[in-house]
Amino acid sequence: MAENNIQRLLDNPRSSGIVNIPAGEYEGNFIVTKSCTINGNGAVLCNSSGPVLVIAAENVTVNNIKVELTSDGIPYEQMVSVYCKYGDTKFSDVEINGMLLGIEGEEQYWGLPRIVSLGRLPAEREQSFALELYAPVEAEISGELYNVSLSADTLSSGFNTVTLTVGKVRSGSLIYGYIRIRSAVERKIVISGEIGDENEPMSASYMLCSIQRDAPIRHGEMLERLDPVQLATLPEPEPETVESAYEPIDEPVTYSNDGGYKEENVLIPSGKRIPLSLKQYKIELLYRASRTSADIDGYLFMLNENGTVSSNKHMIFFGNDRSDCGSVKYLNAADKRSMYIDFGRVPRDVTRMVMLFSIYGNKPDQLFSMLDDAEISVLCENGVHMHMPLEKGIQCRTILALGFEKTDGVWEMISSGKGVAMSLADICRSYGVTVIS
């Protein structure tokens, strides 16, 4: 079964509220937007970056499934296996690697190595090792290894030292198995080793792994900087290859501030960071046609170092068509999909900006997938016209169009164009805007 069929199952639970995922391995990023019970039947949901699974609905139960990240060395914000928008999600027989966010206690630091090698050990001799592990909440620990025992069956909250003892094993044997840690979900440590002959020297390593003392603190600091809108922004499937008249940007690009240029078209792939050396930019959502009439509005949040707006005038939308500093405004109040930014006038306390487009109303059939030839257009003051085509089939009502970040006084634009699995009201709240229902 294809990955898009799995998403279709999640989008359409049975009348009983049950979603049955067939056993198998499915690569992609998946979202749950309706209350339901998901029976995974041992299936594996995996992807090279996270969140792999976003639970964007209340009253969801997930059973018998594994959610896995397949790459190491990815950015911190992509190390999330499961992101729960609400804290009431229930898990049963669910295994993850990576972070679980949105469940109290679970999202704090887990100091658990993914793989531990015992190396080569002597035959018919007992040997013990120590594992230092960190758990933010109490958890069960058990081993699934032949002739290997653990000194504890429970991890307490905080630092733990667990002794792993390998019994007498005959020469030529391989040691391979798991240590399982169970809290709301299950996490796994792979243990491997090899048994030599009886003359093999004892291992010189006693402490197999240790945790830096400030690791939980550093994790907490990084956790505070995670943007919930970015977490709930779902990558879309790769588009079909089509010929284009534009040239993609493979390296960071800057433009001179000389005037008199004719318009130059440049294609921007999603996920690029582009330094901005000019001051003035016009940004708008363009599309050729829509399969049904829709009212689409633009929103821009001017954020301080805490990731929130510092005043009502720092959220620009149809009800507030310009910032108090004049750096951001609608070019025409009647056109709610076109904004102007003058970076030379942005206040110093604004270090980030986020621009979104959202379909107004609650009609379930009105999604960004209904737009044809949609793109984010960025027209620079020197005539350079950057185009970021939106992926086809975005099954969301809101998209994160662009982000802007200031580092060492230089603004950079981060292209996105991805669907956001959050309501517009929740997005506003995440940026410190009070929403009156």
Side-chain angles (χ1 to χ4, degrees):
M1 178 175 286
E3 285 71 17
N4 59 343
N5 290 336
I6 298 300
Q7 185 59 60
R8 195 172 297 124
L9 289 175
L10 296 173
D11 291 338
N12 299 282
R14 296 177 180 176
S15 58
S16 60
I18 302 294
V19 175
N20 283 314
I21 296 178
E25 184 171 310
Y26 307 99
E27 183 177 0
N29 301 87
F30 304 93
I31 178 171
V32 180
T33 58
K34 297 179 181 179
S35 299
C36 61
T37 296
I38 301 169
N39 294 325
N41 298 296
V44 177
L45 306 182
C46 61
N47 201 46
S48 58
S49 64
V52 181
L53 179 63
V54 173
I55 309 292
E58 296 179 281
N59 193 27
V60 173
T61 298
V62 186
N63 301 319
N64 192 16
I65 203 166
K66 180 178 181 180
V67 186
E68 183 176 25
L69 289 167
T70 57
S71 293
D72 295 319
I74 55 179
Y76 184 78
E77 64 273 9
Q78 296 178 8
M79 297 179 185
V80 181
S81 288
V82 181
Y83 171 60
C84 301
K85 178 182 170 183
Y86 302 97
D88 65 345
T89 304
K90 297 180 177 61
F91 299 94
S92 176
D93 194 20
V94 174
E95 179 186 333
I96 71 167
N97 68 50
M99 292 188 286
L100 168 60
L101 297 189
I103 302 298
E104 185 177 358
E106 294 288 333
E107 58 187 10
Q108 299 304 317
Y109 178 71
W110 287 85
L112 307 173
R114 291 185 62 178
I115 302 174
V116 171
S117 175
L118 304 178
R120 190 174 173 89
L121 306 178
E124 305 297 342
R125 297 177 68 181
E126 185 177 283
Q127 186 163 359
S128 294
F129 302 88
L131 298 167
E132 186 174 59
L133 310 174
Y134 186 93
V137 295
E138 187 174 292
E140 297 177 2
I141 180 170
S142 61
E144 293 187 6
L145 301 108
Y146 171 71
N147 209 13
V148 176
S149 61
L150 301 175
S151 63
D153 56 14
T154 303
L155 297 180
S156 60
S157 175
F159 289 92
N160 297 260
T161 299
V162 177
T163 301
L164 180 151
T165 300
V166 181
K168 296 179 180 180
V169 183
R170 67 185 179 183
S171 177
S173 299
L174 294 176
I175 298 174
Y176 186 87
Y178 308 100
I179 295 176
R180 298 185 183 274
I181 294 90
R182 296 181 179 87
S183 53
V185 295
E186 181 177 284
R187 298 165 175 87
K188 187 165 62 179
I189 303 172
V190 177
I191 304 292
S192 65
E194 181 181 358
I195 305 299
D197 57 33
E198 295 184 9
N199 296 321
E200 190 77 33
M202 298 283 281
S203 173
S205 300
Y206 174 68
M207 181 66 75
L208 291 177
C209 66
S210 59
I211 307 298
Q212 294 183 359
R213 287 301 181 263
D214 64 343
I217 298 173
R218 289 188 287 106
H219 175 89
E221 292 172 347
M222 290 188 287
L223 198 62
E224 290 180 356
R225 294 197 294 268
L226 288 183
D227 186 339
V229 175
Q230 291 281 2
L231 288 174
T233 302
L234 299 183
E236 300 295 329
E238 290 293 328
E240 296 180 3
T241 302
V242 295
E243 293 185 1
S244 172
Y246 309 134
E247 291 297 325
I249 297 175
D250 292 323
E251 301 294 337
V253 174
T254 58
Y255 304 107
S256 69
N257 203 16
D258 298 332
Y261 284 103
K262 294 182 180 180
E263 182 175 309
E264 176 186 348
N265 291 300
V266 181
L267 181 68
I268 311 173
S270 178
K272 292 292 182 180
R273 300 181 71 98
I274 303 171
L276 301 177
S277 61
L278 305 178
K279 292 183 178 180
Q280 299 176 357
Y281 298 83
K282 175 186 176 182
I283 302 169
E284 58 188 328
L285 172 66
L286 302 176
Y287 55 90
R288 180 172 56 83
S290 171
R291 290 185 281 278
T292 181
S293 177
D295 191 1
I296 303 176
D297 303 323
Y299 298 82
L300 188 137
F301 299 85
M302 306 176 71
L303 308 176
N304 56 32
E305 60 182 7
N306 297 319
T308 59
V309 296
S310 56
S311 74
N312 292 336
K313 286 293 185 178
H314 282 187
M315 175 184 173
I316 294 79
F317 67 114
F318 58 86
N320 176 41
D321 64 0
R322 64 187 60 221
S323 62
D324 52 0
C325 58
S327 63
V328 182
K329 60 185 178 181
Y330 279 119
L331 286 174
N332 184 334
D335 181 1
K336 295 178 289 184
R337 298 187 301 276
S338 179
M339 283 192 190
Y340 163 92
I341 302 178
D342 185 343
F343 285 94
R345 302 178 67 179
V346 175
R348 290 186 177 181
D349 64 333
V350 175
T351 58
R352 289 179 54 219
M353 294 192 287
V354 177
M355 188 171 189
L356 305 105
F357 291 96
S358 187
I359 299 174
Y360 182 76
N362 296 306
K363 294 182 180 179
D365 61 329
Q366 291 194 343
L367 303 170
F368 271 86
S369 57
M370 70 187 183
L371 304 184
D372 293 330
D373 297 333
E375 68 171 43
I376 304 300
S377 162
V378 181
L379 182 60
C380 311
E381 64 177 282
N382 64 354
V384 173
H385 193 175
M386 295 184 278
H387 305 260
M388 183 183 68
L390 300 187
E391 308 289 359
K392 296 180 180 179
I394 298 177
Q395 299 297 308
C396 293
R397 301 178 58 80
T398 299
I399 61 167
L400 174 60
L402 298 168
F404 302 93
E405 292 184 2
K406 184 170 64 175
T407 305
D408 297 328
V410 177
W411 282 96
E412 289 184 313
M413 181 176 73
I414 305 100
S415 57
S416 177
K418 305 302 184 183
V420 180
M422 294 172 68
S423 68
L424 184 59
D426 284 338
I427 292 172
C428 291
R429 292 187 185 98
S430 73
Y431 290 138
V433 178
T434 300
V435 179
I436 300 175
S437 302

